[in-house]
Amino acid sequence: MILDNSLALRRPFRDRSFGVVRKLGRVNWLFVLCVCLLAGLGYTALYSAAGGSPEPYAQSQLYRFFGMLAMMLGIAMVDIRLIAKLSWPAYAVGILLLLVVMVAGHTGLGAKRWIDLGPIEIQPSELIKLFLSMALAYYFKRATPEQTGSLIFVLPMAVAVLVPVGLILKEPNLGTAVITGTIGAMVMLGAGVRWWWFAIIAAIIAVSAPVLYHHLHDYQRARIDTFLNPGADPLGAGYNIIQSKIALGSGGFFGQGYLHGTQNQLNFLPEKQTDFVFTIIAEEFGYLGSLATLGLLFSIVALALYTAVTCSHAYGRLVALGIATNFFLNCFVNLSMVMGLIPVGGVPIPLISYGGSALTAVMLGFGVLQSIHVHRDVTFASPDDL
């Protein structure tokens, strides 16, 4: 829908012909359905993780999800031009929260990643991934090919990516840092930045890998060593991944049956409500259940990319690309981790793993994504708005 420019100049965020009812009709309800189905699958897995009980995981996660679903739809009603205006302030808040984590963060499992606010905990490293996508999209929204080919023009945004990546590495949280850097790279590539610059950086990192290995924390080196040879310490460092593989394989084609997974019900599975929750699905619902889960995950990524492709303004396209990349990478890293294809990195699978911070960050991003979808055809009042 193309808005009248004179109307937009007077009321850039208050076009009365584009009311709430019409906006609700423009929401991608297929996307919402896929999100709800995936969350329902997560409830089923968390119910089983507790031995067939809604407490302590499934019920609280369900309450969180419905609250976040309302938030997502509420954000979808907010004009994307207003959200665009908040891009850099949101990024600044995200960096500030990462700094607060360094000073007064809550430590868990050997890492300082959370801010304890009493009844809730915030994990800024999850939020900054969305805020970074928004900030980069706002910067590159009107970039010309000449600008995106200029190192001087691109360098400030490279710094904007490296700052949160460095702060996340200090927590330490290598997995999320890598995902954050990759999201930044994808948004910049989508904006037209030269791909071979990133190829050079990737080559330098690959060549430097042996040196970087010796600068990792002890537990990070242990995870890599375990990945290379999990059988070296089957009752210690290699226990998690060995049990995960057993659960994945024991499900067979049809699974052992709901609430009848031996690895799960006999508590052999480690961190089964968070990092390794997919193993419950694979063990109890087998190959078919795993395939259905992968289908839902793929559908959400595909629908997010559809929003990016059909959006008429560059800001929405780039933010949607960042959100789709974030969701895909979280799924890819988690699934690869539980299958033993990459070292264990503590990355949850979205909407299925138990945890409030990750769920909040994902649904916040989906709210922005739906705002982009709802307002995919709007025009902006001035060059400053796009």
Side-chain angles (χ1 to χ4, degrees):
M1 174 182 178
I2 305 301
L3 300 179
D4 181 78
N5 286 335
S6 62
L7 177 65
L9 286 171
R10 294 194 303 271
R11 295 194 309 269
F13 307 125
R14 295 177 58 197
D15 177 31
R16 300 188 183 202
S17 65
F18 200 28
V20 173
V21 174
R22 188 168 184 181
K23 288 183 179 183
L24 285 172
R26 289 171 64 89
V27 168
N28 189 338
W29 290 105
L30 178 59
F31 180 89
V32 176
L33 175 62
C34 289
V35 168
C36 291
L37 289 174
L38 192 61
L41 183 61
Y43 177 90
T44 301
L46 293 175
Y47 185 92
S48 179
S53 171
E55 293 293 347
Y57 311 125
Q59 186 166 298
S60 58
Q61 187 80 346
L62 186 65
Y63 290 155
R64 289 194 194 105
F65 172 74
F66 281 123
M68 294 301 102
L69 182 64
M71 178 194 72
M72 182 189 84
L73 294 175
I75 294 174
M77 300 298 102
V78 178
D79 198 303
I80 190 59
R81 295 166 291 186
L82 176 58
I83 293 175
K85 290 283 190 179
L86 300 175
S87 297
W88 279 105
Y91 174 85
V93 170
I95 296 299
L96 178 61
L97 291 174
L98 287 174
L99 291 172
V100 171
V101 167
M102 293 182 62
V103 176
H106 170 68
T107 301
L109 300 177
K112 188 182 289 187
R113 301 175 184 174
W114 298 271
I115 298 175
D116 191 350
L117 299 178
I120 61 172
E121 288 184 341
I122 297 176
Q123 190 173 355
S125 59
E126 291 293 330
L127 296 173
I128 195 63
K129 293 185 289 185
L130 170 63
F131 299 158
L132 175 64
S133 299
M134 293 167 58
L136 293 176
Y138 196 85
Y139 183 83
F140 286 107
K141 59 191 180 301
R142 284 186 176 273
T144 64
E146 291 75 18
Q147 288 175 318
T148 55
S150 168
L151 187 60
I152 295 177
F153 181 81
V154 174
L155 188 59
M157 292 304 96
V159 174
V161 174
L162 291 175
V163 169
V165 168
L167 291 174
I168 294 170
L169 283 173
K170 290 287 292 182
E171 293 181 354
N173 191 344
L174 180 60
T176 302
V178 171
I179 291 175
T180 303
T182 305
I183 291 169
M186 285 299 298
V187 174
M188 293 169 74
L189 283 170
V193 176
R194 304 295 186 263
W195 66 268
W196 53 268
W197 291 355
F198 298 100
I200 292 174
I201 294 172
I204 293 173
I205 294 174
V207 172
S208 305
V211 176
L212 296 174
Y213 171 83
H214 293 289
H215 287 82
L216 296 175
H217 291 267
D218 291 340
Y219 81 92
Q220 292 172 332
R221 289 198 298 270
R223 285 178 173 178
I224 295 175
D225 295 340
T226 301
F227 162 70
L228 296 174
N229 187 13
D233 187 11
L235 297 179
Y239 179 82
N240 289 4
I241 191 61
I242 290 174
Q243 297 302 318
S244 175
K245 289 181 177 179
I246 292 173
L248 291 172
S250 64
F253 194 81
F254 295 105
Q256 296 186 21
Y258 187 49
L259 302 178
H260 289 90
T262 53
Q263 295 296 108
N264 173 29
Q265 300 303 325
L266 296 177
N267 292 319
F268 285 109
L269 288 177
E271 302 295 333
K272 58 183 179 179
Q273 77 279 9
T274 52
D275 296 349
F276 290 87
V277 69
F278 181 76
T279 58
I280 297 177
I281 297 172
E283 183 180 37
E284 299 188 352
F285 297 102
Y287 174 77
L288 290 179
S290 300
L291 193 63
T293 303
L294 293 177
L296 280 174
L297 295 172
F298 174 80
S299 297
I300 290 175
V301 174
L303 290 169
L305 291 175
Y306 173 78
T307 295
V309 170
T310 57
C311 183
S312 65
H313 44 87
Y315 177 81
R317 289 195 297 272
L318 293 176
V319 175
L321 175 61
I323 293 170
T325 301
N326 179 36
F327 188 84
F328 170 79
L329 288 176
N330 274 272
C331 297
F332 176 81
V333 170
N334 180 273
L335 295 175
S336 300
M337 175 186 72
V338 301
M339 289 187 285
L341 301 178
I342 62 174
V344 174
V347 175
I349 186 167
L351 297 171
I352 299 179
S353 294
Y354 177 76
S357 294
L359 178 64
T360 300
V362 168
M363 296 299 284
L364 180 63
F366 285 169
V368 175
L369 180 71
Q370 285 308 298
S371 176
I372 294 168
H373 190 83
V374 169
H375 304 93
R376 59 191 179 276
D377 299 325
V378 299
T379 56
F380 288 69
S382 69
D384 290 336
D385 290 321
L386 184 53

